[in-house]
Amino acid sequence: RSESGGRGAMAGDGVEERAAPHSAEYRLFFRDGAGRYISPFHDIPLYADAGQNVFNMVVEVPRWTNAKMEIATKDPLNPIKQDVKKGKLRYVANVFPYKGYIWNYGAIPQTWEDPGHKDEDTGCCGDNDPIDVCEIGSKVCSRGEVIKVKVLGTLALIDEGETDWKIIAINVEDPEADSYNDIHDVRRMKPGYLEATVDWFRRYKVPDGKPENQFAFNGEFKDKDFAVNVIKSTHEHWKALIAKKTDGGEICCTNLTVSDSPFCCSQECAKATVDAAPPCKAANPIPPEVDKWFYYQKN
């Protein structure tokens, strides 16, 4: 299955599925415009247009879906896989009135929230992943799509003691994209959406028996300039990681395009990684309990 769009030669022009969706073995590998296998974490550029502060975003979870898909930071080539917790595939609960994720959710490539770096704004260390993005455009994107986004602001979630920035952005191809230039435009154009976003992140783990999540800055959104600076600093942390100046622990830095990186590998080696994965199969059914709706009193 290959999905292409008007994207740059580098950005994932194609994706290739292996094993069955909604299984622990499932992997979605990325290819560039020339058909070469690449890492969506390391090989897709940060910027789609640096002059305009337009960033690339890798869509991991399409809006309204529940499967917690994520870039596999510890796997060679960093394909998208479904998160597993306590031996079970992870699905985000539907907390009334929401159905699954309420935005297209994904990550900005070539960024890393360094767990060894204490953020001076939040006082907490990074969560060891690329930076997260909530894309608020009207189109429901597909898993593995690489889109160009305009950054509008950010929310600082504190997740189990770690800083977990949530960037708010809009697809530049959205028909209304020109009307959005900063976080206050979201409040004006989509009333209630930012409040719903805080509410969603506060409560989404409660059905799993966890406490409500906390936020830095009392759950206030920071503006576009602040958000762009956060992305730039996580890009610097990624640069140190890929150049082996920072120890990334279990993170797999295998890449094909970062020429001065000690982790650079050949296309043959990349192809061997994909060939070793099980063949693509029909999707497993989503368990019926994923459709359950949780109701509880907000504090």
Side-chain angles (χ1 to χ4, degrees):
R1 181 175 86 105
S2 177
E3 293 160 5
S4 61
R7 301 194 276 275
M10 268 309 315
D13 274 57
V15 286
E16 191 174 312
E17 294 189 297
R18 291 300 176 113
H22 310 121
S23 75
E25 297 72 41
Y26 175 78
R27 297 291 185 272
L28 184 71
F29 289 96
F30 284 70
R31 310 176 88 141
D32 68 6
R36 296 170 306 192
Y37 293 109
I38 56 167
S39 157
F41 185 2
H42 306 305
D43 290 315
I44 296 172
L46 173 76
Y47 287 108
D49 180 343
Q52 298 295 314
N53 270 331
V54 173
F55 295 87
N56 282 313
M57 170 185 172
V58 177
V59 177
E60 296 165 315
V61 186
R63 190 168 76 232
W64 310 138
T65 65
N66 300 73
K68 177 124 182 41
M69 310 301 291
E70 57 185 22
I71 288 172
T73 56
K74 296 169 186 175
D75 283 20
L77 294 186
N78 315 111
I80 287 178
K81 68 172 174 91
Q82 190 164 350
D83 190 19
V84 175
K85 276 273 152 74
K86 296 181 182 156
K88 284 184 71 174
L89 290 169
R90 234 179 118 189
Y91 293 90
V92 157
N94 304 304
V95 178
F96 183 83
Y98 312 118
K99 163 69 181 96
Y101 285 72
I102 62 171
W103 346 256
N104 294 300
Y105 189 73
I108 295 183
Q110 297 190 340
T111 62
W112 180 52
E113 296 198 55
D114 181 352
H117 171 79
K118 190 171 185 177
D119 189 285
E120 58 258 26
D121 291 304
T122 66
C124 297
C125 291
D127 74 346
N128 206 25
D129 280 326
I131 203 163
D132 296 319
V133 190
C134 302
E135 190 279 317
I136 65 167
S138 54
K139 177 188 157 192
V140 176
C141 294
S142 50
R143 181 187 306 153
E145 208 176 326
V146 180
I147 61 173
K148 298 173 180 159
V149 298
K150 239 166 122 167
V151 166
L152 304 170
T154 187
L155 180 66
L157 178 67
I158 306 298
D159 187 353
E160 298 176 24
E162 296 174 330
T163 304
D164 191 3
W165 293 103
K166 305 297 179 190
I167 300 291
I168 308 300
I170 190 163
N171 190 337
V172 296
E173 290 176 11
D174 189 89
E176 294 184 328
D178 288 348
S179 304
Y180 290 86
N181 295 300
D182 213 323
I183 198 72
H184 55 79
D185 295 319
V186 184
R187 209 163 259 122
R188 181 171 57 86
M189 302 276 293
K190 295 185 190 270
Y193 202 4
L194 292 180
E195 293 76 4
T197 294
V198 173
D199 191 41
W200 193 98
F201 280 118
R202 190 187 307 285
R203 304 196 293 151
Y204 80 106
K205 288 188 174 175
V206 171
D208 304 330
K210 298 243 175 97
E212 290 190 348
N213 273 322
Q214 304 300 308
F215 302 90
F217 317 115
N218 294 325
E220 293 293 316
F221 286 82
K222 293 293 189 180
D223 67 8
K224 173 190 180 159
D225 291 344
F226 189 101
V228 168
N229 283 333
V230 169
I231 294 168
K232 285 179 176 169
S233 84
T234 58
H235 180 55
E236 292 304 315
H237 292 149
W238 170 81
K239 280 197 211 160
L241 171 76
I242 204 77
K244 217 173 179 172
K245 289 181 177 144
T246 302
D247 177 16
E250 292 177 41
I251 288 194
C252 184
C253 292
T254 301
N255 68 83
L256 288 96
T257 61
V258 188
S259 53
D260 52 354
S261 164
F263 305 102
C264 210
C265 85
S266 67
Q267 189 50 219
E268 290 71 35
C269 124
K271 187 174 181 306
T273 298
V274 180
D275 288 346
C280 185
K281 292 195 191 83
N284 288 341
I286 292 176
E289 61 267 22
V290 172
D291 287 331
K292 191 175 166 187
W293 233 353
F294 292 86
Y295 299 82
Y296 75 97
Q297 212 68 47
K298 292 187 210 179
N299 294 339

